[in-house]
């Protein structure tokens, strides 16, 4: 008996070691600011160490768990869960989950195309200003129009998901409207079943679009949440003000701030006013909020058309039933 009691913990220890060795790995792709990519087959602990993200935040990206659409700002990362786009964005790289998925492959290609940007350091800009003083105003304008790395990555993701959902909506419209018209002209079991399936598909798609819209709306309503997405700004604030790398080339965050603050003061320190300014990101989010809201309006119009068709069918059936009653009596 003593021998058996001794073997139990040994077996449990062996099982625990085996589980640790066979930890589930996931494929990720890392894309940096130069558009260069690397495939990573790692477990969640390696990802947590790489980007310094908590396990509870990484769990949001687990496809086995039904988390709603999320754009979450943390100290050093943005956690992005939008349909098939499950990404972690830092100030220097984008990590995308499941890079071999057909929908993700398209996003990877777009990120590689749009992320690279020839940004000059403050030191290089200063040298060019001495050689070409007349170009200073042009450089100021370019700086104001440039987005930080994390916003360029976020824009690609938002554009991809809004376009994806809008395309699914158009496909549904192409199938639904003729099916509804056919049902009104001929009430049959086949037509009724076809419309029933289309209505179910519309309900599911509406819920998906609504979740993305709600997330964007919630983010737009909270300036603090939007400020959390300024990763490069927070990184700049953590650096020494006298460092040539303390302020990235995309400062100021908006033309409004830029018109009030001189170039020298912008490069010297990060002010409280700049930290609280979210106009740049707000404009970006509003553009895609309007796009996803337009998609939702299309689905709302389709739902109303389905409801009107159902009302018409019910009237027709009631009328037919009344005729049968009258004829039988």
């Amino acid at each position: 008996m003593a021998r058996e009691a001794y073997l139990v913990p040994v077996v449990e220890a062996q099982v625990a070691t085996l589980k640790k060795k066979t930890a589930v790995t996931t494929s990720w792709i890392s894309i940096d600011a130069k558009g260069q990519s690397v495939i990573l087959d790692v477990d969640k602990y390696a990802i947590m160490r790489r980007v310094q993200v908590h396990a509870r935040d990484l769990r949001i990206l687990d496809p086995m768990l039904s988390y709603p659409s999320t754009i979450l700002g943390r100290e050093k990362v943005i956690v992005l869960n939008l349909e098939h786009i499950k990404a972690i964005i830092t100030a220097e790289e984008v990590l995308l989950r499941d890079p071999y998925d057909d929908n993700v492959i398209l996003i990877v290609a777009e990120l590689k195309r749009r992320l690279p940007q020839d940004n000059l350091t403050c030191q290089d800009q200063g040298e060019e200003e001495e050689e070409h003083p007349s170009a200073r105003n042009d450089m100021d304008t370019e700086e104001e129009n440039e987005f930080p790395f994390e916003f360029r990555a976020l824009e690609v993701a938002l554009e991809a998901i809004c376009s994806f959902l809008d395309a699914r909506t158009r496909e549904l419209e192409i199938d639904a409207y003729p099916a509804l018209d056919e049902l009104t002209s001929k009430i049959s079991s086949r037509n009724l079943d076809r419309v029933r399936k289309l209505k179910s598909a519309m309900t599911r798609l509406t819920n998906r679009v609504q979740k993305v819209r709600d997330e964007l709306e919630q983010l737009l309503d909270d300036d603090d949440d939007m400020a959390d997405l300024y990763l490069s700004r927070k990184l700049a604030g953590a650096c020494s003000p006298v460092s040539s790398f303390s302020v990235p080339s995309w400062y100021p965050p908006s033309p409004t701030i830029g018109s009030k603050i001189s170039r020298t003061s912008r490069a010297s320190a990060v002010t409280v006013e700049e930290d609280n300014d979210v106009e740049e990101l707000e404009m970006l989010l509003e553009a895609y909020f309007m796009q996803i809201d337009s998609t939702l309006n299309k689905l709302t119009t389709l739902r109303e058309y389905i409801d009107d068709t159902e009302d018409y069918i019910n009237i027709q059936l009631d009328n037919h039933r009344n005729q049968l009653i009258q004829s039988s009596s």
Side-chain angles (χ1 to χ4, degrees):
M1 295 296 295
R3 184 178 179 183
E4 292 179 357
Y6 175 75
L7 287 176
V8 171
V10 173
V11 172
E12 290 179 350
Q14 291 175 345
V15 171
T17 303
L18 181 61
K19 288 183 178 180
K20 186 175 181 181
K21 289 182 179 179
T22 59
V24 177
T25 61
T26 307
S27 292
W28 296 75
I29 185 169
S30 169
I31 308 171
D32 61 19
K34 296 180 180 179
Q36 298 177 348
S37 62
V38 178
I39 297 293
L40 306 172
D41 291 321
V42 294
D43 58 25
K44 64 179 182 180
Y45 301 106
I47 294 295
M48 290 165 58
R49 290 192 298 268
R50 183 184 181 95
V51 296
Q52 299 181 29
V53 65
H54 291 292
R56 64 176 180 273
D57 295 331
L58 191 59
R59 211 160 25 238
I60 294 173
L61 305 182
D62 192 339
M64 303 301 294
L65 303 176
S66 299
Y67 278 94
S69 296
T70 303
I71 302 174
L72 187 64
R74 290 302 188 222
E75 183 62 27
K76 296 183 179 180
V77 301
I78 298 173
V79 180
L80 197 67
N81 178 32
L82 298 173
E83 293 283 317
H84 52 271
I85 304 177
K86 302 182 183 300
I88 300 174
I89 302 173
T90 74
E92 299 174 344
E93 69 173 342
V94 180
L95 288 172
L96 268 172
R97 185 169 182 149
D98 300 327
Y100 302 111
D101 182 90
D102 291 340
N103 293 318
V104 178
I105 289 174
L106 299 175
I107 300 168
V108 170
E110 192 66 11
L111 285 169
K112 289 181 179 181
R113 185 180 71 85
R114 292 170 58 177
L115 284 182
Q117 184 171 332
D118 296 329
N119 292 326
L120 299 175
T121 62
C122 296
Q123 181 177 358
D124 293 336
Q125 291 175 0
E127 293 175 357
E128 289 192 9
E129 287 176 3
E130 292 178 359
E131 296 176 2
H132 306 285
S134 60
R136 180 175 301 178
N137 292 333
D138 294 337
M139 293 177 63
D140 287 343
T141 303
E142 290 178 1
E143 287 177 350
E144 293 173 356
N145 292 332
E146 289 174 357
F147 266 9
F149 173 84
E150 64 269 20
F151 289 174
R152 300 202 305 276
L154 179 61
E155 183 175 18
V156 171
L158 289 174
E159 181 179 322
I161 204 62
C162 289
S163 299
F164 174 81
L165 292 173
D166 190 63
R168 302 291 81 75
T169 300
R170 290 198 304 270
E171 291 173 359
L172 185 61
E173 287 178 323
I174 292 173
D175 292 335
Y177 283 113
L180 292 167
D181 294 339
E182 185 177 350
L183 178 62
T184 56
S185 61
K186 181 181 179 180
I187 302 175
S188 65
S189 299
R190 174 181 173 275
N191 289 339
L192 284 170
D193 186 62
R194 182 184 177 191
V195 170
R196 178 187 63 79
K197 291 178 180 178
L198 288 170
K199 185 178 180 180
S200 298
M202 182 209 63
T203 301
R204 291 192 298 269
L205 182 57
T206 301
N207 290 335
R208 292 161 61 189
V209 172
Q210 184 72 56
K211 288 177 182 178
V212 176
R213 181 192 179 279
D214 289 347
E215 179 62 21
L216 290 177
E217 184 178 32
Q218 183 177 353
L219 198 57
L220 283 166
D221 288 341
D222 196 321
D223 287 355
D224 291 336
D225 286 347
M226 284 191 285
D228 284 339
L229 303 186
Y230 279 78
L231 304 181
S232 297
R233 177 189 291 176
K234 289 186 286 187
L235 185 62
C239 299
S240 171
V242 298
S243 172
S244 62
F245 298 98
S246 62
V247 179
S249 62
W250 47 268
Y251 264 97
S254 71
T256 303
I257 301 298
S259 62
K260 297 178 181 179
I261 305 176
S262 67
R263 182 181 182 84
T264 303
S265 63
R266 292 204 305 268
S268 62
V270 179
T271 65
V272 175
E273 184 176 12
E274 287 172 335
D275 282 341
N276 293 333
D277 180 77
V278 293
E279 180 181 353
E280 182 182 45
L281 178 58
E282 188 174 18
M283 291 172 61
L284 171 65
L285 295 177
E286 282 178 348
Y288 292 101
F289 175 80
M290 292 175 62
Q291 183 175 343
I292 199 70
D293 190 57
S294 175
T295 301
L296 185 61
N297 288 336
K298 293 179 184 178
L299 292 167
T300 302
T301 302
L302 178 58
R303 174 178 287 277
E304 292 173 352
Y305 197 88
I306 292 176
D307 292 341
D308 291 342
T309 302
E310 288 180 340
D311 291 341
Y312 175 80
I313 297 301
N314 289 331
I315 292 173
Q316 291 288 90
L317 292 175
D318 288 342
N319 183 47
H320 185 64
R321 184 167 52 250
N322 291 334
Q323 290 177 356
L324 290 174
I325 294 174
Q326 291 175 0
S327 61
S328 62
S329 61

